[in-house]
Amino acid sequence: MPTTTASRTYKAVNFAEKLALIAEQWQPRVVAELNDYQFKLVRIQGDFVWHDHPETDEAFIVLEGELRIDFSDGFVRIGPGELYVVPKGVEHKPFAAGEVRMMLIEPRGIANTGHAGGKRTAPNDVWS
Ligand code: NI
């Protein structure tokens, strides 16, 4: 068994284990923090909403599936093992034809839908 102290554990974060605990799509789960930044795992499929994050960049690391992110003037495809950073203030809309499992890296307290709101807005700071 891993040894645990009050503030840390001697067990690596296993993405597959953490993803298996996530029952619902579009519900990011925090798995670690780095200073003020959070590493989140999420499963998505279908269309997200157009939004931006005026105060921060947002990193997408795809683990499984193929993610497309649409922009006002183009799009990017991100496959397993690939990383893309959306600059702050740039409007974007993630889309996944089949299920995508990915990691998001962004500062603590950032809403997944930015200021757009709506039904895709997920509770923040939920740990897995
Ligand atoms: Ni975003």
Side-chain angles (χ1 to χ4, degrees):
M1 286 293 290
T3 308
T4 304
T5 66
S7 60
R8 61 186 170 139
T9 176
Y10 293 100
K11 182 182 186 310
V13 174
N14 183 288
F15 299 159
E17 279 177 21
K18 293 292 190 185
L19 282 161
L21 297 173
I22 302 176
E24 285 182 72
Q25 294 177 336
W26 303 104
Q27 301 291 316
R29 293 289 182 264
V30 180
V31 297
E33 287 183 335
L34 178 75
N35 299 315
D36 297 333
Y37 276 70
Q38 292 182 324
F39 296 84
K40 303 174 182 178
L41 290 174
V42 65
R43 301 167 41 218
I44 69 162
Q45 186 170 9
D47 247 325
F48 203 59
V49 294
W50 283 102
H51 68 284
D52 71 329
H53 308 278
E55 57 290 287
T56 183
D57 302 337
E58 177 177 24
F60 294 80
I61 297 173
V62 172
L63 305 171
E64 295 176 43
E66 186 179 83
L67 178 69
R68 190 185 81 207
I69 303 179
D70 291 325
F71 301 99
S72 62
D73 58 353
F75 65 90
V76 61
R77 292 185 194 281
I78 314 164
E82 294 184 327
L83 158 74
Y84 190 83
V85 178
V86 175
K88 68 179 167 186
V90 172
E91 215 183 7
H92 57 285
K93 184 183 70 64
F95 170 76
E99 181 168 276
V100 166
R101 296 173 171 221
M102 63 180 174
M103 170 166 282
L104 305 172
I105 305 172
E106 57 196 359
R108 194 186 295 131
I110 295 300
N112 64 333
T113 50
H115 298 294
K119 69 182 169 95
R120 289 285 195 220
T121 304
N124 222 334
D125 212 31
V126 181
W127 284 70
S128 179

Coordinates of all heavy atoms in Angstrom, one line a residue, residues 2 17 43 50 97 113 121 124 127:
P2 N 0.4 2.3 -0.7 CA 1.2 3.5 -0.7 C 1.2 4.1 0.7 O 0.2 4.0 1.4 CB 0.5 4.4 -1.7 CG -0.8 3.7 -2.1 CD -0.7 2.3 -1.6
E17 N -6.8 4.8 -14.0 CA -7.6 4.6 -12.8 C -8.5 5.7 -12.5 O -9.7 5.5 -12.1 CB -6.6 4.4 -11.6 CG -6.0 3.1 -11.5 CD -5.0 3.0 -10.3 OE1 -5.0 3.9 -9.4 OE2 -4.1 2.1 -10.3
R43 N -13.8 13.3 -19.6 CA -14.3 12.5 -20.7 C -15.4 13.3 -21.4 O -16.3 13.9 -20.8 CB -15.0 11.2 -20.3 CG -14.1 10.3 -19.4 CD -14.9 9.2 -18.8 NE -15.9 8.7 -19.7 CZ -17.1 8.3 -19.3 NH1 -17.5 8.4 -18.0 NH2 -18.0 7.9 -20.2
W50 N -19.3 27.6 -27.4 CA -18.4 28.6 -27.7 C -18.1 29.4 -26.4 O -19.0 29.9 -25.8 CB -18.9 29.6 -28.8 CG -18.8 29.0 -30.2 CD1 -19.8 28.5 -30.9 CD2 -17.7 29.0 -31.0 NE1 -19.4 28.1 -32.1 CE2 -18.1 28.4 -32.2 CE3 -16.3 29.3 -30.9 CZ2 -17.2 28.1 -33.3 CZ3 -15.4 29.1 -31.9 CH2 -15.9 28.5 -33.1
A97 N -16.3 13.7 -31.9 CA -17.2 12.8 -32.6 C -17.4 11.6 -31.8 O -18.6 11.1 -31.6 CB -16.8 12.5 -34.0
T113 N -16.7 26.7 -18.9 CA -17.4 27.4 -20.0 C -17.0 28.9 -20.0 O -17.7 29.7 -20.7 CB -18.9 27.3 -19.9 OG1 -19.3 27.6 -18.5 CG2 -19.4 25.9 -20.2
T121 N -21.9 23.9 -18.2 CA -21.0 24.4 -17.1 C -21.0 23.3 -16.0 O -22.0 22.9 -15.5 CB -21.6 25.7 -16.5 OG1 -21.7 26.6 -17.6 CG2 -20.7 26.3 -15.4
N124 N -16.9 23.3 -10.2 CA -15.4 23.4 -10.2 C -14.8 22.8 -9.1 O -15.4 22.5 -8.1 CB -15.1 24.9 -10.2 CG -14.0 25.3 -11.2 OD1 -13.1 24.5 -11.5 ND2 -14.0 26.5 -11.6
W127 N -12.5 16.9 -6.9 CA -11.4 16.0 -7.0 C -11.8 14.6 -7.3 O -12.9 14.2 -6.9 CB -10.6 16.1 -5.8 CG -9.7 17.3 -5.6 CD1 -10.2 18.6 -5.4 CD2 -8.3 17.4 -5.7 NE1 -9.1 19.4 -5.4 CE2 -8.0 18.7 -5.6 CE3 -7.3 16.4 -5.9 CZ2 -6.7 19.2 -5.6 CZ3 -6.0 16.9 -6.0 CH2 -5.7 18.2 -5.8

